[in-house]
């Protein structure tokens, strides 16, 4: 089949989801999907996410037939949705990656049970020191620990592909922050189902996709 | 003199000391702010003048650089902690001298939300601006807000949220105020990282405040405007 007949599908995602999205794409053998990631530093600056996504969508919408924005609301206060709609793209469900990994009903239960909960994913455990500790300036100003986390009581590690090393690291992070530790294995949750739905919709609209996979 | 030699704050004339305190506030040096505050008071400055010229002005500079992306959250928190050190000294003196308050504010983080960094900054800036602030803390439900309004009869109700999932609770509070016929008795200000002006308007607030400095300016402006309108009506 000529290259030009292949639908062009882009997943434009948060850098913190790169490995997980690549895993889901590989498991499903979606060879036609291109993954692009925005800097993970936006995790700590959510007010900058809509503009960063829009800038990339403006260019990518000329090149790709379908685009999945690999962000939840992520603290943008609903400002991401009109941008996603304007470019005819789709975004991941929920308020945060914690929510779609845990799935919404389970996440609501967790929040309801203990609102002072800090959530970490595989990515945040692996990069806890850079994204959380140094990202919040705690390496330079450890006296701010209580200002940031004084109202938190527990840390829940929502794991995608847990290893003993990652669980130990998550537990160490909890200890560093003075929080009780819990581990819940979520796998990919709604991330996987959302990408599958997106791919299925692409298949429906672009029948030649089935041949290209 | 070498750069790392300790500066003797008490040797500085007033204008240089105040400028140094602005720098110290910017650098989050709580001990130096406390020392500078005590020196100015010993020179018979009023608590109100120390507050406005040294602390509030210093935080105004911090606020501008935060807005412009020159300072980041950790530095602002350190500056706030330094201001707190000065406020701790000034607060009893301000109460003792009966300094006029601009008005009264009841403030709290909404139900389901434990984030209070922004709310605490706003409370501190409002106090610095001359408001009497009643802080309800975190995870505040509608009954706690309404009981506090009833008890303290403030000019302003302030609500804060950090989570997309908790910010809609502001509408629950405002709608309940409308149902009880008390909405127009108060100014309602809302703020928090995921909020914006459209959201503030949609939930029926009087104003959305994007940061603590804006909250302070907006509170002053709206309270004064309301009082002028009330005096014109009278």
């Amino acid at each position: 089949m000529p290259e030009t007949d292949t639908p062009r599908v882009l997943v434009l995602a948060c850098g913190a989801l790169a490995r997980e999205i690549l895993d889901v794409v590989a498991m499903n053998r979606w060879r036609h999907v291109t993954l692009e990631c925005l800097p993970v530093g936006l995790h700590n600056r959510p007010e900058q996410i809509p503009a960063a996504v829009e800038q990339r969508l403006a260019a990518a919408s000329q090149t790709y037939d379908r685009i999945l924005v690999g962000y939840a609301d992520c603290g943008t206060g609903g400002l991401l949705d009109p941008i996603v709609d304007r470019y005819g793209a789709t975004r991941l469900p929920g308020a945060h990656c914690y929510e779609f990994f845990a799935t919404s009903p389970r996440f609501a239960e967790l929040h309801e049970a203990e609102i002072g909960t800090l959530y970490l994913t595989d990515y945040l455990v692996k990069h806890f020191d850079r994204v959380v500790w140094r990202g919040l300036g705690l390496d330079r100003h450890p006296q701010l620990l209580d200002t940031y986390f004084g109202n938190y009581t527990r840390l829940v590690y929502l794991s995608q592909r847990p290893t003993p090393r990652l669980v130990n690291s998550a537990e160490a992070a909890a200890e560093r922050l003075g929080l009780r530790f819990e581990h819940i294995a979520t796998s990919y949750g709604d991330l996987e189902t959302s990408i599958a739905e997106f791919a299925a919709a692409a298949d429906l609209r672009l029948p030649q996709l089935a041949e290209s996979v | 003199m070498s750069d790392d030699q300790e500066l003797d704050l008490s040797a500085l004339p007033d204008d240089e000391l105040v400028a140094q305190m602005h720098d110290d506030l910017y650098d989050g040096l709580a001990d130096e702010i406390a020392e500078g505050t005590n020196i100015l008071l010993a020179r018979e400055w009023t608590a109100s003048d120390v507050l406005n010229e040294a602390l509030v002005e210093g935080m105004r500079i911090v606020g501008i650089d935060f807005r412009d992306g020159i300072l980041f959250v950790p530095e602002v928190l350190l500056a706030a902690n330094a201001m707190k050190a000065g406020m701790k000294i000034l607060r009893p003196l301000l109460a003792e001298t009966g300094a006029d308050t601009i008005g009264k504010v009841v403030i709290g983080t909404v139900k389901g939300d434990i984030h209070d960094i922004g709310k605490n900054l706003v409370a501190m800036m409002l106090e610095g601006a001359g408001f009497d602030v009643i802080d309800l803390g975190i995870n505040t439900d509608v009954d706690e807000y309404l009981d506090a309004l009833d008890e303290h009869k403030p000019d302003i109700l302030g609500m804060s949220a950090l989570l997309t999932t908790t910010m809609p609770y502001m509408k629950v509070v405002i709608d309940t105020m409308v149902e009880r016929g008390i909405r127009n008795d108060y100014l309602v200000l809302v703020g928090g990282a995921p909020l914006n002006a459209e959201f503030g308007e949609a939930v029926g607030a009087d104003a959305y405040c994007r940061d603590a400095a804006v909250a302070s300016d907006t509170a002053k402006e709206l309270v004064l405007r309301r009082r002028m309108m009330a005096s014109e009506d009278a």
Side-chain angles (χ1 to χ4, degrees):
Chain A
M1 194 165 86
E3 185 81 12
T4 50
D5 290 341
T6 306
R8 299 158 300 177
V9 177
L10 173 69
V11 178
L12 176 63
C14 168
L17 297 176
R19 182 175 294 268
E20 288 75 15
I21 291 172
L22 284 173
D23 278 351
V24 172
V25 169
M27 281 189 298
N28 289 279
R29 299 183 181 182
W30 293 321
R31 280 174 295 171
H32 57 286
V33 173
T34 301
L35 172 65
E36 277 187 29
C37 288
L38 293 173
V40 75
L42 294 171
H43 176 86
N44 285 346
R45 308 296 301 272
E47 74 280 4
Q48 296 180 3
I49 293 173
V53 169
E54 179 161 29
Q55 189 179 18
R56 186 61 196 117
L57 282 182
S61 60
Q62 308 295 316
T63 314
Y64 291 93
D65 300 307
R66 288 185 60 83
I67 300 174
L68 173 67
V69 173
Y71 279 91
D73 180 76
C74 293
T76 65
L79 292 182
L80 194 53
D81 286 333
I83 294 167
V84 168
D85 291 345
R86 195 177 311 143
Y87 290 94
T90 307
R91 81 157 168 86
L92 293 172
H96 283 283
C97 53
Y98 324 120
E99 184 175 338
F100 61 66
F101 279 136
T103 72
S104 292
R106 180 77 178 109
F107 187 77
E109 279 173 25
L110 287 167
H111 183 71
E112 186 84 7
E114 195 163 340
I115 61 171
T117 301
L118 178 72
Y119 300 94
L120 296 184
T121 61
D122 282 5
Y123 179 88
L124 289 171
V125 170
K126 285 175 194 165
H127 302 282
F128 177 83
D129 197 60
R130 179 169 56 83
V131 177
V132 180
W133 195 259
R134 281 185 279 149
L136 295 175
L138 287 168
D139 54 328
R140 290 169 288 128
H141 312 296
Q143 71 272 34
L144 292 177
L145 184 64
D146 193 55
T147 305
Y148 284 122
F149 295 106
N151 294 330
Y152 284 85
T153 49
R154 74 169 169 173
L155 183 152
V156 171
Y157 169 31
L158 301 170
S159 67
Q160 286 68 63
R161 294 176 64 181
T163 62
R165 188 175 177 177
L166 276 177
V167 175
N168 286 340
S169 297
E171 195 162 6
E175 194 173 334
R176 213 168 168 190
L177 299 177
L179 304 177
R180 202 175 75 255
F181 176 69
E182 285 179 34
H183 172 210
I184 299 171
T186 66
S187 189
Y188 297 121
D190 285 337
L191 176 70
E192 187 169 4
T193 49
S194 298
I195 296 179
E197 283 168 14
F198 171 76
D203 281 345
L204 287 174
R205 290 188 186 183
L206 298 158
Q208 61 271 56
L209 180 65
E211 297 169 28
S212 70
V213 173
Chain B
M1 190 168 78
S2 67
D3 286 345
D4 57 359
Q5 192 169 338
E6 203 162 301
L7 187 65
D8 180 5
L9 294 178
S10 63
L12 297 175
D14 286 5
D15 56 342
E16 288 182 29
L17 175 56
V18 168
Q20 183 61 43
M21 287 176 71
H22 294 165
D23 287 349
D24 289 344
L25 205 56
Y26 197 94
D27 293 333
L29 304 175
D31 291 345
E32 284 75 359
I33 289 298
E35 186 185 349
T37 299
N38 282 325
I39 292 169
L40 288 175
L41 290 171
R43 292 180 187 174
E44 299 191 350
W45 278 48
T46 65
S48 178
D49 283 346
V50 178
L51 175 66
N52 290 323
E53 293 184 35
L55 303 188
V56 172
E57 175 59 15
M59 280 305 284
R60 192 186 67 82
I61 297 165
V62 169
I64 290 169
D65 278 6
F66 177 63
R67 214 174 289 164
D68 291 346
I70 297 165
L71 286 182
F72 296 97
V73 170
E75 288 77 28
V76 173
L77 294 178
L78 290 170
N81 285 343
M83 179 160 172
K84 271 186 216 164
M87 289 292 290
K88 192 176 172 186
I89 297 166
L90 296 177
R91 195 174 289 118
L93 299 174
L94 290 165
E96 184 185 76
T97 55
D100 288 339
T101 59
I102 295 183
K104 198 182 278 186
V105 180
V106 161
I107 191 168
T109 301
V110 298
K111 185 183 175 187
D113 206 321
I114 57 156
H115 299 94
D116 61 1
I117 288 176
K119 184 264 295 170
N120 291 345
L121 282 171
V122 170
M124 192 183 68
M125 290 299 282
L126 288 171
E127 191 182 356
F131 283 95
D132 184 9
V133 178
I134 296 103
D135 188 345
L136 304 180
I138 56 172
N139 192 27
T140 312
D141 70 20
V142 62
D143 290 335
E144 289 172 289
Y145 279 120
L146 297 187
D147 288 349
L149 294 180
D150 192 41
E151 181 184 348
H152 300 288
K153 306 286 182 210
D155 300 278
I156 295 174
L157 169 64
M159 291 188 282
S160 168
L162 183 77
L163 303 175
T164 306
T165 46
T166 56
M167 61 192 221
Y169 195 77
M170 293 174 178
K171 187 164 180 357
V172 173
V173 177
I174 293 173
D175 285 352
T176 309
M177 291 170 74
V178 172
E179 280 167 23
R180 297 193 185 178
I182 60 168
R183 169 63 187 87
N184 293 332
D185 296 344
Y186 307 97
L187 293 161
V188 178
L189 305 185
V190 296
L195 276 67
N196 52 54
E198 291 77 17
F199 175 83
E201 196 174 331
V203 298
D206 290 290
Y208 153 75
C209 305
R210 67 179 175 180
D211 60 36
V214 168
S216 171
D217 291 344
T218 305
K220 279 188 284 188
E221 184 189 328
L222 293 185
V223 165
L224 291 176
R225 190 190 302 167
R226 173 175 274 220
R227 286 195 185 147
M228 278 175 62
M229 287 168 68
S231 64
E232 283 169 11
D233 290 345

